[in-house]
């Protein structure tokens, strides 16, 4: 089934596959494909927000005609398309060589959000980027997968600050015709519309598809005319506060999402739930089997043995719960279809440690999946403690919840200029084989001055982007405070820390502001100054987070700090790229143990930006003494810990980081600093890559689940 829509009537035949390339996000993690669109842009239009779909749309036909006759352009075009076909349209892959089951049905991966690229703003934060990186890696490794999620057409909030530092939200509507997605149609070529019938007010949705290399991602769109306004709003934004809308949202994701696969005839061998929001997919898989004649028990056993559940939430309050009263309203007529009675059904979601009158999505997903994991070693310990009561007979260590530590998609997050340097020093296979630690030992062969210099250029690009953004704001007559707080006085020769996270209280953006006099001395040191960049959004209803932003902003604009603190508005994927490439140190100081894993520090680490972090999340595994800095932050919660944690932070900065950075030789290079950068790359790139992560899911979970799927289908 080829549902790629020719959106670009202007494209000459000779280069017509540019349309296909623009609509497959594969281009976003292949520098040669990005260069192709960039080259085209040089001929007339801008490379619009790095979105080749809108670029091709708006380009003049004559420019495209000229490109189709330019032999230099055509040579590149042919080379990129050959690589594209080899990657996307071939069966050769790690997965098939390892697991050898060419006839298998794909893995269905469900997630409430996906962070893929800023032209597809379907994310709020870390969970989404994990899912996006996961699908990209499945494509690279040839793991057969389909993704299911939402498109949130009204949901993307751009952040602007008011002159007094209060976050204002401007929501952006997605222009579906200019995004790299296409409408999914049924066999007759009509818009595929799915009706979720279990709700009184039936809900309809349409389906869009984003193509991630080999992996299709189906996106639910409830913002259509067939729905009343309440129902339209269900997938218009991410993580709605209202419990009833949230319940319906999760029903649409799990049950409706499964119906997409059914409608398109996509059988799936394994169900992988990225967090509990999509857990109702389990029910719909069971219901389909019961409808075909299975008993509940047989159906549930089959589904359980082929379901993988990844939990991400280390705090009890972070798990979704729904009252039985609300559940009755929406599941009253669905429960009988499962061949279950009401009490049996509610037992599946019971969490005795919390509330006996609520259905807990995580408890439900844990009971109904055979493969369960947390996302770092530490998070595994926390999760087993939190859910011990589901397995009262077992000891903590024996609980059937393992961990697979998160990783980041290296081709997406590595700076192109660093990748070019690795091409020179690490041999031709470094990218294809990047989870192999021995390849990374060759980083030691890179001359110190060269790595320092490439990093310095990345820092200069970051500062240039900050100033360009400030200039745009100045042209809009923004308040002078906003301009001065956005890094106008930043200097590429100054040691630069970066803190870019969601502004939630537990991430403690203000830890480094605890002792302002001490901070002032660190920043304004006459010979060894320091500058800090903050970026991040707060949830619009999180007052504490909003106040944290204001606190940072007020200090950033205060002349006492010498313009050495910046708050950059509107943290998104694009800004994240500049930050993780261009700062010198990645700062991370959440309150342990609330960081399940954290991934931004991994993105920085692979780019030679070492972390200064509390020992929590992935850093407990990642820190080896030579690749960054760590402090305990052991006693979470009380104010006392803030006192001692900030004390540790300042001391490490003053005694270790600042002197090391400024220990420069006559040519201005600190070789001791470069040593830390190299250790950071060597450790993070192989171990904290999504390649290592997806291989673990494939070998530890998918392989075993497939064996089960094959056995049960033989019996059936
Ligand atoms: C990676 C990333 C995140 C998640 O970072 P954490 O370290 O897990 O907080 C959030 N937002 C953006 C834009 C990212 O790129």
């Amino acid at each position: 089934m080829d549902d790629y829509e020719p959106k670009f009537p202007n494209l000459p035949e000779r280069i017509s596959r540019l349309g296909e390339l623009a609509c497959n996000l594969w281009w976003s993690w292949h520098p040669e494909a990005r260069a192709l669109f960039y080259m085209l842009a040089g001929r007339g239009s801008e490379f619009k927000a790095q979105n080749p779909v809108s670029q091709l749309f708006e380009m003049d036909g004559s420019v495209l005609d000229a490109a189709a006759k330019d032999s230099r352009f055509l040579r590149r075009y042919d080379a990129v398309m050959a690589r594209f076909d080899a990657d996307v349209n071939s069966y050769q892959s790690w997965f098939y060589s390892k697991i050898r089951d060419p006839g298998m049905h794909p893995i269905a991966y469900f997630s409430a959000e996906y962070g893929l690229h800023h032209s597809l703003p379907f994310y709020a934060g870390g969970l989404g980027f994990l899912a996006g990186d996961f699908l990209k890696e499945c494509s690279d490794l040839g793991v057969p997968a389909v993704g299911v999620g939402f498109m949130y057409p009204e949901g993307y909030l751009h952040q602007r600050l008011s002159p007094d530092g209060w976050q204002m939200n401007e929501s952006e509507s997605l222009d579906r015709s200019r995004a790299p997605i296409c409408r999914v149609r049924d066999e007759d070529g009509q818009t595929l519309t799915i009706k979720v019938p279990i709700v009184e007010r039936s809900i309809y949705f349409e389906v869009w598809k984003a193509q991630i290399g080999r992996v299709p991602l189906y996106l639910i769109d409830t913002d259509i005319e067939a729905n009343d306004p309440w129902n339209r709003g269900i997938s218009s934004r991410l993580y709605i506060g209202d419990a009833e809308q949230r319940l319906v949202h999760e029903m649409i994701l799990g049950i409706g999402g499964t119906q997409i696969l059914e409608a398109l005839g996509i059988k799936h061998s394994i169900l992988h739930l990225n967090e509990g929001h999509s857990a109702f997919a389990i029910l719909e898989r069971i219901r389909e089997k019961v409808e075909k004649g299975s008993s509940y028990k047989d159906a549930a056993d089959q589904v359980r043995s082929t379901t993988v559940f990844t939990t991400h939430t280390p705090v009890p309050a972070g798990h979704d719960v729904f009252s039985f009263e609300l559940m009755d309203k929406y599941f009253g007529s669905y429960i009988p279809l499962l061949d279950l009675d009401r009490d049996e059904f509610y037992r599946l979601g019971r969490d005795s440690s919390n509330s006996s009158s609520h259905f807990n999505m995580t408890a439900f997903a844990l009971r109904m999946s055979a493969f369960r994991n947390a996302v770092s070693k530490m998070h595994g310990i926390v999760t087993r403690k939190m859910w011990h009561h589901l397995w009262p007979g077992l000891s903590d260590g024996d609980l059937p919840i393992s961990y697979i530590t998160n990783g980041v998609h290296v081709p997406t997050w590595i700076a192109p200029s660093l990748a070019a340097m690795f091409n020179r020093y690490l041999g031709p296979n470094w990218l294809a084989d990047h989870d192999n630690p021995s390849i990374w030992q060759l980083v030691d062969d890179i001359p110190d001055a060269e790595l320092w210099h490439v990093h310095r250029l990345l820092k200069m690009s970051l500062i240039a982007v900050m100033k360009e953004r400030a200039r745009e704001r100045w042209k809009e007559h923004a308040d002078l405070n906003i301009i001065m707080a956005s890094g106008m006085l930043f200097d590429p020769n100054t040691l630069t820390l970066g803190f870019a996270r969601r502004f939630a209280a537990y991430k403690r953006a203000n830890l480094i502001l605890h002792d302002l006099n001490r901070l002032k001395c660190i920043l304004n040191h006459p010979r060894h100054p320091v500058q800090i960049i903050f970026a991040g959004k707060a949830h619009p209803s999180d007052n504490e987070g909003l106040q944290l932003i204001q606190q940072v902003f007020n200090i950033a604009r205060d002349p006492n700090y010498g313009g050495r603190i910046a708050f950059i508005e509107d943290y998104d994927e694009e800004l994240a790229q500049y930050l993780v490439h261009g700062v010198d140190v990645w700062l991370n100081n959440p309150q342990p143990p609330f960081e399940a894993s954290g991934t931004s520090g991994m993105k920085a680490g692979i780019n030679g930006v070492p972390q200064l972090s509390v020992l929590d999340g992935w850093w407990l595994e990642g820190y080896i003494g030579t690749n960054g800095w760590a402090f305990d932050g052991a006693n979470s919660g009380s104010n006392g810990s803030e006192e001692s944690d900030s004390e540790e932070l300042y001391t490490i900065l003053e005694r270790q980081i600042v002197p090391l950075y400024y220990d420069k030789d006559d040519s201005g290079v600190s070789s001791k600093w470069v040593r830390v950068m190299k250790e950071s790359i060597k450790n993070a790139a192989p171990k904290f890559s999504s390649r290592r992560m997806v291989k673990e899911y494939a070998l530890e979970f998918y392989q075993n689940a497939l064996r089960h799927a094959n056995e049960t289908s033989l019996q059936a």
Side-chain angles (χ1 to χ4, degrees), residues 257-308:
T258 305
Q259 288 174 356
I260 298 176
L261 302 178
E262 174 81 13
L264 296 175
I266 301 173
K267 294 201 162 68
H268 54 287
S269 52
I270 293 168
L271 172 64
H272 187 162
L273 308 171
N274 186 44
E275 193 50 296
H277 311 114
S278 55
F280 293 139
I282 294 172
L283 292 179
E284 183 62 8
R285 264 185 115 196
I286 294 175
R287 191 199 59 77
E288 285 174 358
K289 292 187 192 306
V290 169
E291 190 180 60
K292 291 185 184 129
S294 279
S295 68
Y296 167 79
K297 187 174 176 312
D298 286 350
D301 285 348
Q302 270 187 40
V303 168
R304 186 186 286 109
S305 66
T306 53
T307 298
V308 176

Side-chain angles (χ1 to χ4, degrees), residues 123-126 129 413 500-502 507 571-573 576 595 598-601 603:
Y123 59 85
F129 282 96
W413 294 105
R501 324 295 307 276
R502 192 145 263 277
K507 302 232 188 204
Y571 180 48
D572 67 355
E573 185 266 343
E595 181 99 307
T599 51
S600 57
K603 297 169 191 168

